[in-house]
Structures are given as C-alpha cells and as structure tokens.
Amino acid sequence: MGLLPKNSDGCPYLILAPMEGVGDSWFRVAMATIGGFDEGVRDFLRVPSNAHVPSLAVRYLASEIAPIPLAAQIMGSDLDLMAEMAKAMEARGAPRIDLNCGCPSNTVTGRGAGSSLLKDPDFLHDVASALVKAVKIPVTAKLRSGFDDTSLFKENMLAAEASGIAYVTLHPRTKAEGYGPPANWGLIQEAKKLLKIPVVGNGDILNVDDALRMLDETGCDALMIGRGSVINPFIFHEIKARFAGSDYRPQWEQMVRFFDVYVRQMEEGVPERTKVNKVKQLMGFLFKKNEKLLSMRQSILTADQKEVGQFLEYALPRLAEGLDLA
Ligand SMILES: Cc1cc2nc3c(=O)[nH]c(=O)nc-3n(C[C@H](O)[C@H](O)[C@H](O)COP(=O)(O)O)c2cc1C
C-alpha cells in the first residue's frame, strides 16, 4: 500500500484519470490550481513500431502539475521500444509508468496495443514484464475488463500481477462496450479478491456518494476519477471533506483562477475564436452538474463574445450562480 497512501481521516488516495483530448495538459494544469487529488496520469504516449523514442519522450513533463506527481502512461506492443520508452520516462523524472491496456481506438488496437493486449494475457504479461525489468520506478497497468467480452478477465488480471507490476487500475467495461453500459463495479470487487497487489477502482464516479459506494461495494484500495472531474473540478475536495466530516464549498476565486490558468496556457497566436470555443467545450461538461446549470447552458454556450476575456466576464458569474460558489 506504500504507493497509494491514505489521506487523513481515512480518505483513499485520489488519482486524476488520463483523458486524451478533453483532459489534456491545459486541463490538468488548471485542475492542479484547484487541487485535491493526490496524483495525475498523463494521457497515453503511443509508441508505434517505428517510434523514435527520444522525440516522443519530450512530450512528457514530470513537473507539469508539480508538486502533484504526474505518472507517465505508455501504450504499445514492441517490447524493446516499450522498454526504451520506460527508461526514457524514468530519466525524465516520472514517479511511475502506467501501461495502457484499455484504449479502445481502432488505430491503436489494430497494432496490437491498448485494449488489444486484453486478447492475449501471455503477451500482456510480456509487455508489462519488459517494463518492470527496464526501470527501477514502479510500473502499473490500467485495464479494461476485456476486449469483446470478459471471458479472459481473470487471466488478464493474473497475468498483470505476475509481471511484477505494483498495482492495477481497473475500468470495468470491455473494449466493445466503449462507454455505453454502466461500469461493472462487481468486477473491481472480483479483482480485489483475486489479486494480492492493490486495485484502483475507476469508472462512473460522478459525485461523493458514488465514490463512497465504490469503496464500500468493491473494497478497492484507491480511486481514479476522469469525467467526474471535468463535470465537477471540485470533486476531489468534496470527497476529502466528506471523510473529514464536513462539506466543501467551492470558492469563486478558485473558479476564476481555474479558467484564467486554462486560457493562459493557450499559445499566443491562437485565434480568440478558438480560445472561446475551447473554453465553451470545457464549460459544456460543467453544465452537466446540476439542473440549474443545465437551464443556463444554452445561453452561455451560444453567447457570441468574440474575445475570450469578454466571454469569461459574461459566463463566470452565471456559472458561479449555478455552482453555488462561495
Ligand atoms: C476523452 C477521454 C480520453 C481518455 N484517454 C485515456 C487515456 O489516454 N488513457 C487511459 O488509460 N484512459 C483514457 N480514458 C479512460 C479514462 O481514464 C477512464 O478510465 C474512463 O473515462 C472511466 O472513468 P470515469 O468514468 O471516471 O471517466 C479516456 C477517457 C475519456 C473520456
């Protein structure tokens, strides 16, 4: 359990999930200004069979959300290149390396990486084991529950454990299920019974009650949250507060700073229109949090300010009202 230390009041270790696209570096850095999570995971770096590892590796920046640690996630199936990439991540200061065994994208699975590893537990073992042997830092793996179905679930879990990894994170949906049906938390419970290494539970935690229920129903050792943090960037603080026996009231200043940091990371030269649209994309998720916000969604997302500063001046007070900010 050393890698997943509990917080005060018994609150489990909380991890911000990797989310390519939506939860990119801008989002992670903005999230770090709000804080509340114990570790982040960079979205996957794909290591194709013709990869030039040094030029790929520079895309991982260990200090991106410092002082919060950021794990490096890699995806691929060429054992030598994956080992080389793991070493490069270690040299760049990664606190741990996570093997992606879940990405459902066809361009990825076509090459035998990501969720394709779930079709062949022996090969999954070999890839994970190549990483474990290559570095001194902990290696972990993030798995879906299967490729087409869960028939190899146990084999995959045991293969991952036998490779020598430190823990698994389980998002209990198959590749075929995509994001359709609810995550099958029963499989997290099953993994807990099956494995000696810790299991991080992931999938469909959208609020504090979901977090408590997952812990209770599965006995998992730590929690990873993805979409729930885009819908509510304060979710980690809210979970911690519940363990401390209090309620968390988000502050207006935090929200302003969150968007300020997000916008400031956009390169100079990016058209104002693009900046406005990117902020609107992020706000589109925030509106899913509650009814009051949903009723404002249309007017905010169709507002026609052409300059991002003006748009934020218009949108943030409305957002604050809907989120009941202090
Ligand atoms: C837009 C998006 C991008 C994602 N990118 C990654 C990724 O790069 N690596 C990964 O392991 N999982 C990725 N995932 C899966 C999430 O990390 C997580 O397992 C999944 O969303 C379920 O958790 P949640 O219900 O808390 O969002 C992605 C999910 C989304 C929605």
Side-chain angles (χ1 to χ4, degrees):
M1 274 300 284
L3 268 179
L4 300 167
K6 278 200 167 37
N7 286 286
S8 54
D9 305 306
C11 177
Y13 196 73
L14 302 176
I15 305 174
L16 176 65
M19 281 181 292
E20 199 231 354
V22 178
D24 50 18
S25 139
W26 298 345
F27 175 73
R28 276 193 301 271
V29 174
M31 274 302 288
T33 68
I34 287 184
F37 55 102
D38 301 303
E39 184 173 334
V41 185
R42 192 201 185 283
D43 38 304
F44 64 79
L45 285 166
R46 192 166 71 82
V47 187
S49 50
N50 60 355
H52 180 249
V53 167
S55 40
L56 258 184
V58 295
R59 291 168 58 195
Y60 168 78
L61 185 64
S63 62
E64 184 190 88
I65 53 172
I68 303 171
L70 180 70
Q73 188 186 62
I74 60 179
M75 175 161 69
S77 54
D78 182 307
L79 298 186
D80 293 338
L81 283 176
M82 287 292 275
E84 197 187 326
M85 187 65 169
K87 283 186 181 136
M89 295 292 99
E90 182 176 49
R92 290 184 64 79
R96 79 172 158 105
I97 290 163
D98 191 55
L99 172 64
N100 181 309
C101 311
C103 183
S105 152
N106 282 333
T107 55
V108 168
T109 54
R111 296 195 178 98
S115 59
S116 282
L117 295 178
L118 302 170
K119 289 197 267 190
D120 186 345
D122 290 339
F123 188 54
L124 189 160
H125 171 274
D126 291 349
V127 178
S129 160
L131 304 185
V132 170
K133 285 185 191 126
V135 293
K136 292 192 182 64
I137 53 174
V139 174
T140 57
K142 181 163 176 288
L143 291 83
R144 280 183 176 249
S145 54
F147 194 82
D148 290 321
D149 54 41
T150 55
S151 54
L152 291 175
F153 175 73
K154 280 187 184 167
E155 287 82 349
N156 281 324
M157 287 290 143
L158 291 170
E161 179 170 71
S163 72
I165 61 168
Y167 64 80
V168 293
T169 302
L170 179 59
H171 171 207
R173 286 186 176 95
T174 63
K175 182 261 176 189
E177 287 170 338
Y179 288 91
N184 180 356
W185 291 359
L187 290 173
I188 300 178
Q189 186 189 28
E190 214 173 308
K192 263 310 286 173
K193 287 186 185 143
L194 194 65
L195 303 180
K196 291 182 193 70
I197 56 173
V199 176
V200 178
N202 168 239
D204 296 351
I205 300 175
L206 297 183
N207 54 47
V208 181
D209 290 336
D210 291 339
L212 296 182
R213 205 161 45 79
M214 181 186 279
L215 288 167
D216 185 48
E217 287 179 15
T218 71
C220 64
D221 300 279
L223 299 176
M224 174 183 277
I225 301 178
R227 291 165 302 169
S229 67
V230 195
I231 294 171
N232 174 17
F234 301 104
I235 189 167
F236 298 106
H237 282 298
E238 289 177 5
I239 294 171
K240 283 186 173 161
R242 183 71 71 85
F243 275 87
S246 59
D247 274 330
Y248 182 80
R249 183 102 189 271
Q251 306 284 317
W252 157 252
E253 289 77 18
Q254 281 178 307
M255 188 51 107
V256 171
R257 192 154 154 63
F258 175 84
F259 280 104
D260 185 47
V261 168
Y262 187 78
V263 167
R264 266 196 282 136
Q265 291 172 89
M266 294 186 204
E267 306 272 332
E268 270 185 40
V270 172
E272 285 296 308
R273 175 54 75 196
T274 309
K275 292 183 184 174
V276 172
N277 286 340
K278 194 74 188 156
V279 173
K280 281 186 178 176
Q281 184 197 23
L282 193 58
M283 283 191 180
F285 281 96
L286 294 170
F287 287 110
K288 292 184 182 159
K289 184 165 155 57
N290 64 38
E291 291 296 317
K292 198 164 170 190
L293 282 172
L294 275 175
S295 69
M296 300 173 181
R297 181 187 169 94
Q298 191 66 4
S299 63
I300 295 190
L301 296 188
T302 56
D304 66 354
Q305 285 81 3
K306 305 207 167 25
E307 199 262 314
V308 73
Q310 285 167 357
F311 172 70
L312 286 173
E313 268 174 41
Y314 167 79
L316 286 181
R318 286 160 179 78
L319 201 59
E321 195 192 321
L323 284 171
D324 193 23
L325 298 184

